[in-house]
């Protein structure tokens, strides 16, 4: 590897970390957050939920298996969770410039340069993560010498509008017509629906889908503050009056809650990992889940006709909701994983079963 440029990570409280560049040499600013996954960086970096964020990996060595081939199937990238790298910057401890994997086509560093995303290594990510755990997620900037940049708070703008598609797209030709409200959807959500005999009608975050011919609504994950998606919430409320099945994931969980009348709030440092334990309420069943979010539902604000579906075992925050009588439910975690455990993928089956039963009643 050629000699790396020196570069700094500067937090909003003035804390400075000196490192070396292995990505694109450009100063950037955003919200600094950490994630604890040991594998799956191609999936994580292409997750639209990371829009506007500088990502810190707690696992020390990153890049050892390179980046997979850029294949597509049915208009969807096979190995990526979207069409591009969404993070603003990547912070790691040790960068593996040499990679080895049967499916790799390029190095992580070359991939970051291709998408003009800076990457820093030789950073004490343990010390950095301890700061973020104590003080919470912080604004920060990756700054090269003679390239000063101001701090930037991505949560002050509608990141969903940046992450969502601009025009309606349709995938598959299955029996069940599902409107997918794209707030920054991961590709594996689309794959999971297609695998269950669905036609996926993917629409922008602010699209009025009330005139579409559909059997169920799916509200996707996405970045930022759910309070900025008032148009989406209004469309969900309109859909709820039809009683057609609804499922949401991550941001979709928060938007469904807001449509029901509940409130949301920002977590101190969020949940970004592959090992978050969640408990199915009313049972002793615990699942290990993949998560990536900075906001949560204020559970005590849920209306009487709604209830918690899952609860986080670590901090008791809400991990999902459901309506007590109607086929509406959502999860804060990612049942589709990619990357991470797939213990809860069965929830897609429950959504499709809700559609089947609703269609049978309507006949």
């Amino acid at each position: 590897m050629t000699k790396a440029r020196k570069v700094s990570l500067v937090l909003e409280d003035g804390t400075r970390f000196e490192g070396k560049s292995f990505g694109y040499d450009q100063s950037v600013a955003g919200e600094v957050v950490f994630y604890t996954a040991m594998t799956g960086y191609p999936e994580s970096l292409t997750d639209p939920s990371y829009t506007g964020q500088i990502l810190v990996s707690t696992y020390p060595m990153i890049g050892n298996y390179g980046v997979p081939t850029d294949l597509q199937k049915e208009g969807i990238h096979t190995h990526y969770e979207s069409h591009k790298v969404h993070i603003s910057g990547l912070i790691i401890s040790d960068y593996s410039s040499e990679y080895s994997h049967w499916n790799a086509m390029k190095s992580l560093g070359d991939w970051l340069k291709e998408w003009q995303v800076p990457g820093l290594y030789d950073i004490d990510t343990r010390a950095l993560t301890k700061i973020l755990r104590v003080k919470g997620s912080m604004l920060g900037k990756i700054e090269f010498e003679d390239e000063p940049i101001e701090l930037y708070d991505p949560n002050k703008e509608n990141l969903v509008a940046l992450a969502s598609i601009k025009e309606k797209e349709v995938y598959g030709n299955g029996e069940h017509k599902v409107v997918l409200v794209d707030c920054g959807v991961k590709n594996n959500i689309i794959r999971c629906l297609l695998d269950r005999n669905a036609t996926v009608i993917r629409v922008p975050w602010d699209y009025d889908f009330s005139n579409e011919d559909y059997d169920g609504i799916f509200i996707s994950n996405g970045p930022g503050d759910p309070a900025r998606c008032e148009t989406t919430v209004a469309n969900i409320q309109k859909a709820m009056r039809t009683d057609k099945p609804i499922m949401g994931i991550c941001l979709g969980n928060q938007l469904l809650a807001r449509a029901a009348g509940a409130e949301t709030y920002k977590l101190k440092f969020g949940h970004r990992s592959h090992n978050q334990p969640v408990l199915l309420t009313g049972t002793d069943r615990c699942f290990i889940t993949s998560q990536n979010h900075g906001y949560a539902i204020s559970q005590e604000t849920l209306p009487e006709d709604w209830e918690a579906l899952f609860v986080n075992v670590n901090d008791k925050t809400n991990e999902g909701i459901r309506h007590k009588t109607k086929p509406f439910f959502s999860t804060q975690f990612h049942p589709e994983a990619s990357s991470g455990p797939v213990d809860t993928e069965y929830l897609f089956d429950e959504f499709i079963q809700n559609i089947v039963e609703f269609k049978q009643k309507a006949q």
Side-chain angles (χ1 to χ4, degrees):
M1 187 169 67
T2 57
K3 186 176 180 179
R5 286 183 63 184
K6 291 184 178 180
V7 60
S8 300
L9 171 68
V10 185
L11 302 179
E12 63 179 291
D13 67 352
T15 304
R16 179 181 293 268
F17 291 85
E18 302 292 342
K20 300 170 184 174
S21 171
F22 73 96
Y24 189 68
D25 289 349
Q26 175 177 287
S27 297
V28 298
E31 182 182 29
V32 183
V33 302
F34 67 89
Y35 83 119
T36 63
M38 297 172 65
T39 60
Y41 57 80
E43 295 91 339
S44 293
L45 271 58
T46 54
D47 181 351
S49 293
Y50 280 122
T51 300
Q53 295 181 328
I54 297 172
L55 189 59
V56 179
S57 172
T58 62
Y59 190 67
M61 185 177 67
I62 300 294
N64 57 310
Y65 58 89
V67 177
T69 53
D70 186 14
L71 297 177
Q72 293 190 38
K73 182 181 179 181
E74 297 182 304
I76 305 170
H77 287 272
T78 304
H79 302 296
Y80 305 154
E81 287 310 295
S82 69
H83 67 288
K84 60 176 286 188
V85 175
H86 281 274
I87 62 168
S88 295
L90 181 63
I91 310 294
I92 64 174
S93 175
D94 183 20
Y95 172 58
S96 178
S97 58
E98 297 183 3
Y99 60 91
S100 177
H101 193 277
W102 68 270
N103 199 29
M105 70 169 183
K106 65 182 70 173
S107 70
L108 174 59
D110 287 343
W111 194 42
L112 292 179
K113 291 172 185 175
E114 178 184 327
W115 288 105
Q116 299 186 2
V117 174
L120 276 67
Y121 75 99
D122 208 15
I123 296 284
D124 187 346
T125 52
R126 180 177 175 83
L128 173 56
T129 302
K130 288 173 71 175
I131 292 173
L132 298 176
R133 280 187 61 88
V134 172
K135 296 187 176 182
S137 298
M138 303 174 68
L139 301 184
K141 53 186 178 178
I142 293 173
E143 211 165 48
F144 286 85
E145 292 180 334
D146 302 322
E147 294 181 29
I149 191 172
E150 297 297 319
L151 292 172
Y152 157 68
D153 186 354
N155 295 299
K156 288 186 176 180
E157 62 177 297
N158 188 348
L159 298 175
V160 168
L162 298 178
S164 177
I165 58 170
K166 307 306 178 187
E167 301 289 340
K168 181 175 76 171
E169 298 179 4
V170 179
Y171 306 87
N173 189 29
E175 178 183 355
H176 312 298
K177 297 178 181 179
V178 177
V179 166
L180 170 62
V181 183
D182 178 12
C183 299
V185 68
K186 289 172 62 182
N187 282 339
N188 207 38
I189 290 176
I190 302 175
R191 298 186 198 109
C192 286
L193 291 171
L194 292 176
D195 288 344
R196 288 162 174 82
N197 197 21
T199 296
V200 178
I201 306 163
R202 181 180 179 183
V203 300
W205 70 281
D206 57 351
Y207 184 90
D208 183 359
F209 49 82
S210 58
N211 292 322
E212 294 286 338
D213 178 21
Y214 67 89
D215 302 313
I217 298 292
F218 200 102
I219 315 163
S220 85
N221 63 292
D225 187 348
R228 296 189 177 275
C229 299
E230 295 177 353
T231 304
T232 314
V233 169
N235 290 333
I236 295 169
Q237 289 173 330
K238 192 185 303 184
M240 290 165 67
R241 291 195 285 270
T242 71
D243 287 355
K244 289 185 178 180
I246 298 175
M247 179 177 174
I249 286 178
C250 197
L251 181 65
N253 182 53
Q254 299 155 21
L255 294 178
L256 183 60
R258 294 187 70 87
E263 298 295 325
T264 52
Y265 66 98
K266 196 174 194 301
L267 294 166
K268 184 176 181 180
F269 47 78
H271 298 153
R272 299 175 181 90
S273 64
H274 289 170
N275 59 349
Q276 288 286 333
V278 303
L279 191 69
L280 178 63
T281 55
T283 75
D284 292 326
R285 296 180 67 191
C286 184
F287 301 90
I288 302 303
T289 65
S290 176
Q291 301 196 18
N292 175 14
H293 62 102
Y295 289 80
I297 296 170
S298 181
Q299 194 156 284
E300 63 274 11
T301 65
L302 279 174
E304 290 185 2
D305 51 350
W306 290 79
E307 62 185 356
L309 179 56
F310 293 94
V311 175
N312 190 292
V313 177
N314 289 336
D315 59 13
K316 310 305 178 186
T317 55
N318 178 270
E319 290 289 354
I321 60 173
R322 65 181 167 195
H323 196 278
K324 292 180 180 178
T325 59
K326 298 179 180 181
F328 309 153
F329 76 94
S330 56
T331 66
Q332 190 57 61
F333 53 88
H334 285 268
E336 86 290 348
S338 197
S339 54
V342 294
D343 303 30
T344 55
E345 191 178 316
Y346 73 91
L347 292 168
F348 285 92
D349 298 321
E350 293 194 359
F351 173 59
I352 296 299
Q353 184 59 33
N354 285 344
I355 289 178
V356 171
E357 292 176 359
F358 183 85
K359 290 164 73 173
Q360 289 173 346
K361 290 179 183 178
Q363 290 178 349

